[in-house]
PDB file of all heavy atoms in Angstrom:
ATOM      1  N   GLU A   1     -85.178  42.660  90.634  1.00 94.00           N
ATOM      2  CA  GLU A   1     -84.379  42.595  91.885  1.00 94.00           C
ATOM      3  C   GLU A   1     -83.723  41.327  92.118  1.00 94.00           C
ATOM      4  O   GLU A   1     -82.547  41.334  92.609  1.00 94.00           O
ATOM      5  CB  GLU A   1     -85.400  42.837  93.047  1.00 94.00           C
ATOM      6  CG  GLU A   1     -85.847  44.267  93.242  1.00 94.00           C
ATOM      7  CD  GLU A   1     -86.677  44.501  94.448  1.00 94.00           C
ATOM      8  OE1 GLU A   1     -86.694  43.548  95.421  1.00 94.00           O
ATOM      9  OE2 GLU A   1     -87.338  45.498  94.563  1.00 94.00           O
ATOM     10  N   GLY A   2     -84.304  40.221  91.504  1.00 93.00           N
ATOM     11  CA  GLY A   2     -83.531  38.920  91.618  1.00 93.00           C
ATOM     12  C   GLY A   2     -82.263  38.898  90.888  1.00 93.00           C
ATOM     13  O   GLY A   2     -81.398  37.966  91.154  1.00 93.00           O
ATOM     14  N   LEU A   3     -82.041  39.822  89.955  1.00 88.00           N
ATOM     15  CA  LEU A   3     -80.803  39.845  89.230  1.00 88.00           C
ATOM     16  C   LEU A   3     -79.643  40.526  90.077  1.00 88.00           C
ATOM     17  O   LEU A   3     -78.517  40.304  89.901  1.00 88.00           O
ATOM     18  CB  LEU A   3     -80.951  40.769  87.943  1.00 88.00           C
ATOM     19  CG  LEU A   3     -81.910  40.227  86.927  1.00 88.00           C
ATOM     20  CD1 LEU A   3     -82.063  41.208  85.756  1.00 88.00           C
ATOM     21  CD2 LEU A   3     -81.447  38.818  86.377  1.00 88.00           C
ATOM     22  N   ASP A   4     -80.123  41.256  91.050  1.00 89.00           N
ATOM     23  CA  ASP A   4     -79.152  42.036  91.982  1.00 89.00           C
ATOM     24  C   ASP A   4     -79.051  41.458  93.338  1.00 89.00           C
ATOM     25  O   ASP A   4     -77.996  41.827  94.028  1.00 89.00           O
ATOM     26  CB  ASP A   4     -79.611  43.438  92.041  1.00 89.00           C
ATOM     27  CG  ASP A   4     -79.609  44.195  90.750  1.00 89.00           C
ATOM     28  OD1 ASP A   4     -78.764  43.925  89.897  1.00 89.00           O
ATOM     29  OD2 ASP A   4     -80.507  45.058  90.528  1.00 89.00           O
ATOM     30  N   ARG A   5     -79.937  40.667  93.801  1.00 94.00           N
ATOM     31  CA  ARG A   5     -79.873  40.160  95.134  1.00 94.00           C
ATOM     32  C   ARG A   5     -80.680  38.766  95.215  1.00 94.00           C
ATOM     33  O   ARG A   5     -81.411  38.481  94.224  1.00 94.00           O
ATOM     34  CB  ARG A   5     -80.527  41.174  96.116  1.00 94.00           C
ATOM     35  CG  ARG A   5     -81.952  41.255  95.911  1.00 94.00           C
ATOM     36  CD  ARG A   5     -82.619  42.124  97.188  1.00 94.00           C
ATOM     37  NE  ARG A   5     -84.056  42.356  96.899  1.00 94.00           N
ATOM     38  CZ  ARG A   5     -85.044  41.498  97.330  1.00 94.00           C
ATOM     39  NH1 ARG A   5     -84.686  40.319  97.979  1.00 94.00           N
ATOM     40  NH2 ARG A   5     -86.307  41.739  97.100  1.00 94.00           N
ATOM     41  N   ASP A   6     -80.340  38.000  96.231  1.00 95.00           N
ATOM     42  CA  ASP A   6     -81.046  36.783  96.432  1.00 95.00           C
ATOM     43  C   ASP A   6     -82.454  37.097  97.000  1.00 95.00           C
ATOM     44  O   ASP A   6     -82.632  37.869  97.939  1.00 95.00           O
ATOM     45  CB  ASP A   6     -80.289  35.964  97.426  1.00 95.00           C
ATOM     46  CG  ASP A   6     -79.033  35.325  96.899  1.00 95.00           C
ATOM     47  OD1 ASP A   6     -78.889  35.245  95.732  1.00 95.00           O
ATOM     48  OD2 ASP A   6     -78.084  35.088  97.744  1.00 95.00           O
ATOM     49  N   LEU A   7     -83.481  36.522  96.286  1.00 94.00           N
ATOM     50  CA  LEU A   7     -84.780  36.714  96.789  1.00 94.00           C
ATOM     51  C   LEU A   7     -85.059  35.812  97.920  1.00 94.00           C
ATOM     52  O   LEU A   7     -84.539  34.753  98.092  1.00 94.00           O
ATOM     53  CB  LEU A   7     -85.860  36.453  95.687  1.00 94.00           C
ATOM     54  CG  LEU A   7     -85.770  37.300  94.404  1.00 94.00           C
ATOM     55  CD1 LEU A   7     -86.729  36.809  93.406  1.00 94.00           C
ATOM     56  CD2 LEU A   7     -85.914  38.775  94.707  1.00 94.00           C
ATOM     57  N   SER A   8     -85.964  36.277  98.871  1.00 94.00           N
ATOM     58  CA  SER A   8     -86.334  35.421 100.020  1.00 94.00           C
ATOM     59  C   SER A   8     -87.132  34.206  99.443  1.00 94.00           C
ATOM     60  O   SER A   8     -87.638  34.146  98.314  1.00 94.00           O
ATOM     61  CB  SER A   8     -87.239  36.242 100.957  1.00 94.00           C
ATOM     62  OG  SER A   8     -88.548  36.447 100.434  1.00 94.00           O
ATOM     63  N   LEU A   9     -87.379  33.252 100.347  1.00 94.00           N
ATOM     64  CA  LEU A   9     -88.104  32.070  99.968  1.00 94.00           C
ATOM     65  C   LEU A   9     -89.577  32.376  99.528  1.00 94.00           C
ATOM     66  O   LEU A   9     -90.030  31.944  98.647  1.00 94.00           O
ATOM     67  CB  LEU A   9     -88.108  31.064 101.183  1.00 94.00           C
ATOM     68  CG  LEU A   9     -88.927  29.884 100.963  1.00 94.00           C
ATOM     69  CD1 LEU A   9     -88.372  28.998  99.786  1.00 94.00           C
ATOM     70  CD2 LEU A   9     -88.993  29.005 102.239  1.00 94.00           C
ATOM     71  N   VAL A  10     -90.157  33.312 100.343  1.00 92.00           N
ATOM     72  CA  VAL A  10     -91.565  33.765 100.105  1.00 92.00           C
ATOM     73  C   VAL A  10     -91.571  34.462  98.639  1.00 92.00           C
ATOM     74  O   VAL A  10     -92.490  34.249  97.848  1.00 92.00           O
ATOM     75  CB  VAL A  10     -92.113  34.661 101.137  1.00 92.00           C
ATOM     76  CG1 VAL A  10     -93.414  35.248 100.746  1.00 92.00           C
ATOM     77  CG2 VAL A  10     -92.124  33.862 102.458  1.00 92.00           C
ATOM     78  N   GLU A  11     -90.590  35.309  98.404  1.00 93.00           N
ATOM     79  CA  GLU A  11     -90.541  35.997  97.159  1.00 93.00           C
ATOM     80  C   GLU A  11     -90.438  34.971  95.940  1.00 93.00           C
ATOM     81  O   GLU A  11     -90.998  35.115  94.885  1.00 93.00           O
ATOM     82  CB  GLU A  11     -89.389  37.082  97.062  1.00 93.00           C
ATOM     83  CG  GLU A  11     -89.652  38.235  97.951  1.00 93.00           C
ATOM     84  CD  GLU A  11     -88.426  39.117  98.108  1.00 93.00           C
ATOM     85  OE1 GLU A  11     -87.237  38.519  98.162  1.00 93.00           O
ATOM     86  OE2 GLU A  11     -88.600  40.374  98.201  1.00 93.00           O
ATOM     87  N   ARG A  12     -89.434  34.053  96.200  1.00 93.00           N
ATOM     88  CA  ARG A  12     -89.254  33.063  95.069  1.00 93.00           C
ATOM     89  C   ARG A  12     -90.464  32.258  94.843  1.00 93.00           C
ATOM     90  O   ARG A  12     -90.854  31.872  93.637  1.00 93.00           O
ATOM     91  CB  ARG A  12     -88.011  32.131  95.439  1.00 93.00           C
ATOM     92  CG  ARG A  12     -86.709  32.822  95.297  1.00 93.00           C
ATOM     93  CD  ARG A  12     -85.519  31.826  95.448  1.00 93.00           C
ATOM     94  NE  ARG A  12     -85.744  30.835  96.391  1.00 93.00           N
ATOM     95  CZ  ARG A  12     -85.168  30.973  97.651  1.00 93.00           C
ATOM     96  NH1 ARG A  12     -84.608  31.995  98.075  1.00 93.00           N
ATOM     97  NH2 ARG A  12     -85.301  29.964  98.564  1.00 93.00           N
ATOM     98  N   MET A  13     -91.146  31.858  95.943  1.00 93.00           N
ATOM     99  CA  MET A  13     -92.346  31.004  95.743  1.00 93.00           C
ATOM    100  C   MET A  13     -93.458  31.816  95.045  1.00 93.00           C
ATOM    101  O   MET A  13     -94.128  31.364  94.139  1.00 93.00           O
ATOM    102  CB  MET A  13     -92.830  30.595  97.145  1.00 93.00           C
ATOM    103  CG  MET A  13     -92.064  29.525  97.766  1.00 93.00           C
ATOM    104  SD  MET A  13     -92.490  29.091  99.499  1.00 93.00           S
ATOM    105  CE  MET A  13     -94.228  28.610  99.187  1.00 93.00           C
ATOM    106  N   GLY A  14     -93.682  33.089  95.391  1.00 92.00           N
ATOM    107  CA  GLY A  14     -94.682  33.935  94.786  1.00 92.00           C
ATOM    108  C   GLY A  14     -94.307  34.048  93.304  1.00 92.00           C
ATOM    109  O   GLY A  14     -95.218  34.095  92.444  1.00 92.00           O
ATOM    110  N   LEU A  15     -93.084  34.352  93.020  1.00 94.00           N
ATOM    111  CA  LEU A  15     -92.622  34.484  91.617  1.00 94.00           C
ATOM    112  C   LEU A  15     -92.930  33.176  90.774  1.00 94.00           C
ATOM    113  O   LEU A  15     -93.487  33.218  89.680  1.00 94.00           O
ATOM    114  CB  LEU A  15     -91.089  34.725  91.589  1.00 94.00           C
ATOM    115  CG  LEU A  15     -90.345  34.870  90.247  1.00 94.00           C
ATOM    116  CD1 LEU A  15     -91.023  36.046  89.529  1.00 94.00           C
ATOM    117  CD2 LEU A  15     -89.002  35.032  90.441  1.00 94.00           C
ATOM    118  N   ARG A  16     -92.630  32.056  91.353  1.00 93.00           N
ATOM    119  CA  ARG A  16     -92.751  30.699  90.618  1.00 93.00           C
ATOM    120  C   ARG A  16     -94.331  30.502  90.397  1.00 93.00           C
ATOM    121  O   ARG A  16     -94.681  29.985  89.431  1.00 93.00           O
ATOM    122  CB  ARG A  16     -92.190  29.565  91.402  1.00 93.00           C
ATOM    123  CG  ARG A  16     -90.703  29.640  91.295  1.00 93.00           C
ATOM    124  CD  ARG A  16     -90.036  28.427  91.996  1.00 93.00           C
ATOM    125  NE  ARG A  16     -88.630  28.501  91.909  1.00 93.00           N
ATOM    126  CZ  ARG A  16     -87.762  27.705  92.521  1.00 93.00           C
ATOM    127  NH1 ARG A  16     -88.280  26.811  93.268  1.00 93.00           N
ATOM    128  NH2 ARG A  16     -86.465  27.794  92.390  1.00 93.00           N
ATOM    129  N   VAL A  17     -95.120  30.768  91.438  1.00 93.00           N
ATOM    130  CA  VAL A  17     -96.541  30.485  91.336  1.00 93.00           C
ATOM    131  C   VAL A  17     -97.091  31.409  90.148  1.00 93.00           C
ATOM    132  O   VAL A  17     -97.891  30.977  89.344  1.00 93.00           O
ATOM    133  CB  VAL A  17     -97.331  30.804  92.656  1.00 93.00           C
ATOM    134  CG1 VAL A  17     -98.794  30.927  92.489  1.00 93.00           C
ATOM    135  CG2 VAL A  17     -96.931  29.775  93.683  1.00 93.00           C
ATOM    136  N   HIS A  18     -96.721  32.605  90.198  1.00 94.00           N
ATOM    137  CA  HIS A  18     -97.175  33.585  89.183  1.00 94.00           C
ATOM    138  C   HIS A  18     -96.789  33.104  87.832  1.00 94.00           C
ATOM    139  O   HIS A  18     -97.602  33.154  86.877  1.00 94.00           O
ATOM    140  CB  HIS A  18     -96.793  35.045  89.473  1.00 94.00           C
ATOM    141  CG  HIS A  18     -97.301  36.057  88.565  1.00 94.00           C
ATOM    142  ND1 HIS A  18     -98.470  36.769  88.802  1.00 94.00           N
ATOM    143  CD2 HIS A  18     -96.914  36.549  87.336  1.00 94.00           C
ATOM    144  CE1 HIS A  18     -98.749  37.592  87.844  1.00 94.00           C
ATOM    145  NE2 HIS A  18     -97.800  37.455  86.947  1.00 94.00           N
ATOM    146  N   LEU A  19     -95.578  32.741  87.586  1.00 94.00           N
ATOM    147  CA  LEU A  19     -95.045  32.271  86.266  1.00 94.00           C
ATOM    148  C   LEU A  19     -95.717  31.144  85.718  1.00 94.00           C
ATOM    149  O   LEU A  19     -95.785  30.898  84.573  1.00 94.00           O
ATOM    150  CB  LEU A  19     -93.450  32.059  86.407  1.00 94.00           C
ATOM    151  CG  LEU A  19     -92.680  33.364  86.673  1.00 94.00           C
ATOM    152  CD1 LEU A  19     -91.134  32.966  86.703  1.00 94.00           C
ATOM    153  CD2 LEU A  19     -92.873  34.444  85.705  1.00 94.00           C
ATOM    154  N   VAL A  20     -96.310  30.299  86.647  1.00 95.00           N
ATOM    155  CA  VAL A  20     -97.021  29.083  86.171  1.00 95.00           C
ATOM    156  C   VAL A  20     -98.226  29.471  85.306  1.00 95.00           C
ATOM    157  O   VAL A  20     -98.563  28.847  84.364  1.00 95.00           O
ATOM    158  CB  VAL A  20     -97.546  28.267  87.408  1.00 95.00           C
ATOM    159  CG1 VAL A  20     -98.580  27.259  86.997  1.00 95.00           C
ATOM    160  CG2 VAL A  20     -96.326  27.506  88.056  1.00 95.00           C
ATOM    161  N   TYR A  21     -98.901  30.579  85.693  1.00 94.00           N
ATOM    162  CA  TYR A  21    -100.159  30.911  84.972  1.00 94.00           C
ATOM    163  C   TYR A  21    -100.083  32.199  84.115  1.00 94.00           C
ATOM    164  O   TYR A  21    -101.007  32.571  83.443  1.00 94.00           O
ATOM    165  CB  TYR A  21    -101.369  31.001  85.939  1.00 94.00           C
ATOM    166  CG  TYR A  21    -101.263  32.096  86.998  1.00 94.00           C
ATOM    167  CD1 TYR A  21    -101.573  33.435  86.583  1.00 94.00           C
ATOM    168  CD2 TYR A  21    -100.812  31.874  88.276  1.00 94.00           C
ATOM    169  CE1 TYR A  21    -101.591  34.408  87.538  1.00 94.00           C
ATOM    170  CE2 TYR A  21    -100.689  32.912  89.184  1.00 94.00           C
ATOM    171  CZ  TYR A  21    -101.124  34.113  88.867  1.00 94.00           C
ATOM    172  OH  TYR A  21    -100.990  35.105  89.750  1.00 94.00           O
ATOM    173  N   CYS A  22     -98.915  32.954  84.157  1.00 95.00           N
ATOM    174  CA  CYS A  22     -98.883  34.171  83.424  1.00 95.00           C
ATOM    175  C   CYS A  22     -97.783  34.098  82.344  1.00 95.00           C
ATOM    176  O   CYS A  22     -96.567  34.121  82.562  1.00 95.00           O
ATOM    177  CB  CYS A  22     -98.525  35.346  84.325  1.00 95.00           C
ATOM    178  SG  CYS A  22     -98.443  36.887  83.500  1.00 95.00           S
ATOM    179  N   ASP A  23     -98.226  33.946  81.099  1.00 96.00           N
ATOM    180  CA  ASP A  23     -97.317  33.843  79.933  1.00 96.00           C
ATOM    181  C   ASP A  23     -96.491  35.095  79.730  1.00 96.00           C
ATOM    182  O   ASP A  23     -95.329  35.063  79.410  1.00 96.00           O
ATOM    183  CB  ASP A  23     -98.093  33.478  78.685  1.00 96.00           C
ATOM    184  CG  ASP A  23     -98.606  32.052  78.679  1.00 96.00           C
ATOM    185  OD1 ASP A  23     -98.119  31.211  79.409  1.00 96.00           O
ATOM    186  OD2 ASP A  23     -99.581  31.801  77.985  1.00 96.00           O
ATOM    187  N   ALA A  24     -97.094  36.287  79.922  1.00 96.00           N
ATOM    188  CA  ALA A  24     -96.417  37.493  79.707  1.00 96.00           C
ATOM    189  C   ALA A  24     -95.236  37.602  80.666  1.00 96.00           C
ATOM    190  O   ALA A  24     -94.136  38.007  80.290  1.00 96.00           O
ATOM    191  CB  ALA A  24     -97.298  38.705  79.885  1.00 96.00           C
ATOM    192  N   CYS A  25     -95.441  37.324  81.906  1.00 96.00           N
ATOM    193  CA  CYS A  25     -94.388  37.411  82.893  1.00 96.00           C
ATOM    194  C   CYS A  25     -93.283  36.343  82.703  1.00 96.00           C
ATOM    195  O   CYS A  25     -92.125  36.518  82.923  1.00 96.00           O
ATOM    196  CB  CYS A  25     -94.893  37.426  84.362  1.00 96.00           C
ATOM    197  SG  CYS A  25     -95.794  38.931  84.776  1.00 96.00           S
ATOM    198  N   THR A  26     -93.753  35.154  82.286  1.00 96.00           N
ATOM    199  CA  THR A  26     -92.809  34.097  81.960  1.00 96.00           C
ATOM    200  C   THR A  26     -91.888  34.606  80.733  1.00 96.00           C
ATOM    201  O   THR A  26     -90.635  34.357  80.809  1.00 96.00           O
ATOM    202  CB  THR A  26     -93.562  32.850  81.521  1.00 96.00           C
ATOM    203  OG1 THR A  26     -94.359  32.420  82.679  1.00 96.00           O
ATOM    204  CG2 THR A  26     -92.614  31.752  81.060  1.00 96.00           C
ATOM    205  N   ASN A  27     -92.481  35.247  79.814  1.00 97.00           N
ATOM    206  CA  ASN A  27     -91.656  35.780  78.712  1.00 97.00           C
ATOM    207  C   ASN A  27     -90.733  36.918  79.135  1.00 97.00           C
ATOM    208  O   ASN A  27     -89.469  36.926  78.790  1.00 97.00           O
ATOM    209  CB  ASN A  27     -92.571  36.314  77.606  1.00 97.00           C
ATOM    210  CG  ASN A  27     -93.288  35.270  76.847  1.00 97.00           C
ATOM    211  OD1 ASN A  27     -92.885  34.106  76.786  1.00 97.00           O
ATOM    212  ND2 ASN A  27     -94.427  35.577  76.200  1.00 97.00           N
ATOM    213  N   PHE A  28     -91.254  37.769  79.991  1.00 96.00           N
ATOM    214  CA  PHE A  28     -90.324  38.837  80.569  1.00 96.00           C
ATOM    215  C   PHE A  28     -89.138  38.188  81.349  1.00 96.00           C
ATOM    216  O   PHE A  28     -87.994  38.583  81.173  1.00 96.00           O
ATOM    217  CB  PHE A  28     -91.133  39.681  81.486  1.00 96.00           C
ATOM    218  CG  PHE A  28     -90.380  40.791  82.170  1.00 96.00           C
ATOM    219  CD1 PHE A  28     -89.944  41.900  81.498  1.00 96.00           C
ATOM    220  CD2 PHE A  28     -89.953  40.624  83.499  1.00 96.00           C
ATOM    221  CE1 PHE A  28     -89.229  42.901  82.139  1.00 96.00           C
ATOM    222  CE2 PHE A  28     -89.254  41.701  84.139  1.00 96.00           C
ATOM    223  CZ  PHE A  28     -88.818  42.752  83.448  1.00 96.00           C
ATOM    224  N   ASN A  29     -89.424  37.225  82.157  1.00 95.00           N
ATOM    225  CA  ASN A  29     -88.390  36.536  82.915  1.00 95.00           C
ATOM    226  C   ASN A  29     -87.317  35.921  81.989  1.00 95.00           C
ATOM    227  O   ASN A  29     -86.167  36.064  82.210  1.00 95.00           O
ATOM    228  CB  ASN A  29     -89.025  35.461  83.780  1.00 95.00           C
ATOM    229  CG  ASN A  29     -87.994  34.878  84.755  1.00 95.00           C
ATOM    230  OD1 ASN A  29     -87.278  35.543  85.385  1.00 95.00           O
ATOM    231  ND2 ASN A  29     -88.046  33.550  84.870  1.00 95.00           N
ATOM    232  N   GLY A  30     -87.797  35.231  80.961  1.00 95.00           N
ATOM    233  CA  GLY A  30     -86.967  34.692  80.008  1.00 95.00           C
ATOM    234  C   GLY A  30     -86.115  35.769  79.245  1.00 95.00           C
ATOM    235  O   GLY A  30     -84.860  35.472  79.058  1.00 95.00           O
ATOM    236  N   GLN A  31     -86.698  36.853  78.874  1.00 95.00           N
ATOM    237  CA  GLN A  31     -86.002  37.939  78.248  1.00 95.00           C
ATOM    238  C   GLN A  31     -84.914  38.477  79.126  1.00 95.00           C
ATOM    239  O   GLN A  31     -83.768  38.795  78.746  1.00 95.00           O
ATOM    240  CB  GLN A  31     -86.966  39.023  77.829  1.00 95.00           C
ATOM    241  CG  GLN A  31     -87.821  38.593  76.674  1.00 95.00           C
ATOM    242  CD  GLN A  31     -88.992  39.600  76.471  1.00 95.00           C
ATOM    243  OE1 GLN A  31     -89.217  40.429  77.243  1.00 95.00           O
ATOM    244  NE2 GLN A  31     -89.621  39.400  75.283  1.00 95.00           N
ATOM    245  N   MET A  32     -85.247  38.713  80.437  1.00 94.00           N
ATOM    246  CA  MET A  32     -84.244  39.213  81.404  1.00 94.00           C
ATOM    247  C   MET A  32     -83.085  38.217  81.569  1.00 94.00           C
ATOM    248  O   MET A  32     -81.906  38.716  81.652  1.00 94.00           O
ATOM    249  CB  MET A  32     -84.986  39.532  82.742  1.00 94.00           C
ATOM    250  CG  MET A  32     -85.926  40.660  82.652  1.00 94.00           C
ATOM    251  SD  MET A  32     -85.204  42.281  82.168  1.00 94.00           S
ATOM    252  CE  MET A  32     -84.297  42.736  83.526  1.00 94.00           C
ATOM    253  N   ASN A  33     -83.334  37.039  81.617  1.00 92.00           N
ATOM    254  CA  ASN A  33     -82.278  35.983  81.748  1.00 92.00           C
ATOM    255  C   ASN A  33     -81.428  35.977  80.452  1.00 92.00           C
ATOM    256  O   ASN A  33     -80.228  35.752  80.581  1.00 92.00           O
ATOM    257  CB  ASN A  33     -82.901  34.593  82.048  1.00 92.00           C
ATOM    258  CG  ASN A  33     -83.364  34.540  83.441  1.00 92.00           C
ATOM    259  OD1 ASN A  33     -82.759  35.079  84.395  1.00 92.00           O
ATOM    260  ND2 ASN A  33     -84.424  33.768  83.673  1.00 92.00           N
ATOM    261  N   LEU A  34     -82.090  36.112  79.323  1.00 94.00           N
ATOM    262  CA  LEU A  34     -81.328  36.180  78.099  1.00 94.00           C
ATOM    263  C   LEU A  34     -80.331  37.359  78.062  1.00 94.00           C
ATOM    264  O   LEU A  34     -79.146  37.210  77.645  1.00 94.00           O
ATOM    265  CB  LEU A  34     -82.217  36.203  76.944  1.00 94.00           C
ATOM    266  CG  LEU A  34     -81.542  36.311  75.506  1.00 94.00           C
ATOM    267  CD1 LEU A  34     -80.836  34.989  75.144  1.00 94.00           C
ATOM    268  CD2 LEU A  34     -82.746  36.633  74.465  1.00 94.00           C
ATOM    269  N   ILE A  35     -80.913  38.448  78.400  1.00 92.00           N
ATOM    270  CA  ILE A  35     -80.090  39.690  78.450  1.00 92.00           C
ATOM    271  C   ILE A  35     -78.848  39.519  79.464  1.00 92.00           C
ATOM    272  O   ILE A  35     -77.803  39.860  79.222  1.00 92.00           O
ATOM    273  CB  ILE A  35     -80.866  40.974  78.817  1.00 92.00           C
ATOM    274  CG1 ILE A  35     -81.876  41.207  77.772  1.00 92.00           C
ATOM    275  CG2 ILE A  35     -79.987  42.193  79.154  1.00 92.00           C
ATOM    276  CD1 ILE A  35     -82.901  42.293  78.104  1.00 92.00           C
ATOM    277  N   ARG A  36     -79.103  38.928  80.615  1.00 89.00           N
ATOM    278  CA  ARG A  36     -78.090  38.756  81.617  1.00 89.00           C
ATOM    279  C   ARG A  36     -77.034  37.818  81.060  1.00 89.00           C
ATOM    280  O   ARG A  36     -75.836  38.132  81.225  1.00 89.00           O
ATOM    281  CB  ARG A  36     -78.778  38.124  82.844  1.00 89.00           C
ATOM    282  CG  ARG A  36     -77.772  37.893  83.982  1.00 89.00           C
ATOM    283  CD  ARG A  36     -78.528  37.273  85.212  1.00 89.00           C
ATOM    284  NE  ARG A  36     -77.802  37.602  86.307  1.00 89.00           N
ATOM    285  CZ  ARG A  36     -78.076  37.232  87.529  1.00 89.00           C
ATOM    286  NH1 ARG A  36     -79.142  36.445  87.771  1.00 89.00           N
ATOM    287  NH2 ARG A  36     -77.345  37.571  88.603  1.00 89.00           N
ATOM    288  N   ARG A  37     -77.433  36.739  80.459  1.00 89.00           N
ATOM    289  CA  ARG A  37     -76.394  35.811  79.848  1.00 89.00           C
ATOM    290  C   ARG A  37     -75.615  36.458  78.782  1.00 89.00           C
ATOM    291  O   ARG A  37     -74.375  36.283  78.760  1.00 89.00           O
ATOM    292  CB  ARG A  37     -77.046  34.480  79.288  1.00 89.00           C
ATOM    293  CG  ARG A  37     -77.598  33.635  80.394  1.00 89.00           C
ATOM    294  CD  ARG A  37     -78.036  32.171  79.850  1.00 89.00           C
ATOM    295  NE  ARG A  37     -78.858  32.273  78.716  1.00 89.00           N
ATOM    296  CZ  ARG A  37     -80.230  32.331  78.726  1.00 89.00           C
ATOM    297  NH1 ARG A  37     -80.811  32.269  79.907  1.00 89.00           N
ATOM    298  NH2 ARG A  37     -80.870  32.361  77.676  1.00 89.00           N
ATOM    299  N   ALA A  38     -76.208  37.307  77.968  1.00 90.00           N
ATOM    300  CA  ALA A  38     -75.570  37.984  76.905  1.00 90.00           C
ATOM    301  C   ALA A  38     -74.510  39.001  77.404  1.00 90.00           C
ATOM    302  O   ALA A  38     -73.487  39.098  76.982  1.00 90.00           O
ATOM    303  CB  ALA A  38     -76.522  38.712  75.981  1.00 90.00           C
ATOM    304  N   MET A  39     -74.943  39.707  78.443  1.00 86.00           N
ATOM    305  CA  MET A  39     -74.044  40.789  79.120  1.00 86.00           C
ATOM    306  C   MET A  39     -72.811  40.028  79.716  1.00 86.00           C
ATOM    307  O   MET A  39     -71.697  40.560  79.654  1.00 86.00           O
ATOM    308  CB  MET A  39     -74.783  41.530  80.186  1.00 86.00           C
ATOM    309  CG  MET A  39     -75.841  42.405  79.558  1.00 86.00           C
ATOM    310  SD  MET A  39     -75.226  43.671  78.403  1.00 86.00           S
ATOM    311  CE  MET A  39     -74.232  44.696  79.563  1.00 86.00           C
ATOM    312  N   ARG A  40     -73.021  38.823  80.240  1.00 85.00           N
ATOM    313  CA  ARG A  40     -71.906  38.113  80.872  1.00 85.00           C
ATOM    314  C   ARG A  40     -70.958  37.696  79.781  1.00 85.00           C
ATOM    315  O   ARG A  40     -69.702  37.574  80.115  1.00 85.00           O
ATOM    316  CB  ARG A  40     -72.387  36.956  81.645  1.00 85.00           C
ATOM    317  CG  ARG A  40     -73.057  37.325  82.997  1.00 85.00           C
ATOM    318  CD  ARG A  40     -73.440  36.083  83.702  1.00 85.00           C
ATOM    319  NE  ARG A  40     -73.982  36.413  85.037  1.00 85.00           N
ATOM    320  CZ  ARG A  40     -74.596  35.641  85.808  1.00 85.00           C
ATOM    321  NH1 ARG A  40     -74.964  34.460  85.457  1.00 85.00           N
ATOM    322  NH2 ARG A  40     -74.972  36.073  86.980  1.00 85.00           N
ATOM    323  N   LYS A  41     -71.359  37.375  78.577  1.00 88.00           N
ATOM    324  CA  LYS A  41     -70.495  36.971  77.488  1.00 88.00           C
ATOM    325  C   LYS A  41     -69.787  38.123  76.754  1.00 88.00           C
ATOM    326  O   LYS A  41     -68.838  37.807  76.026  1.00 88.00           O
ATOM    327  CB  LYS A  41     -71.314  36.178  76.541  1.00 88.00           C
ATOM    328  CG  LYS A  41     -71.766  34.832  77.041  1.00 88.00           C
ATOM    329  CD  LYS A  41     -72.528  33.942  76.012  1.00 88.00           C
ATOM    330  CE  LYS A  41     -72.859  32.679  76.654  1.00 88.00           C
ATOM    331  NZ  LYS A  41     -73.568  31.789  75.575  1.00 88.00           N
TER     332      LYS A  41
END
């Protein structure tokens, strides 16, 4: 959803807290960002 809209402050905070301790979701987030950058190019 963060790719399509601005997340609320609470949503962003929850996301960041989770990414601190979850390697799988950190990888997923990185993959989504990589795909987004590739599509823009």
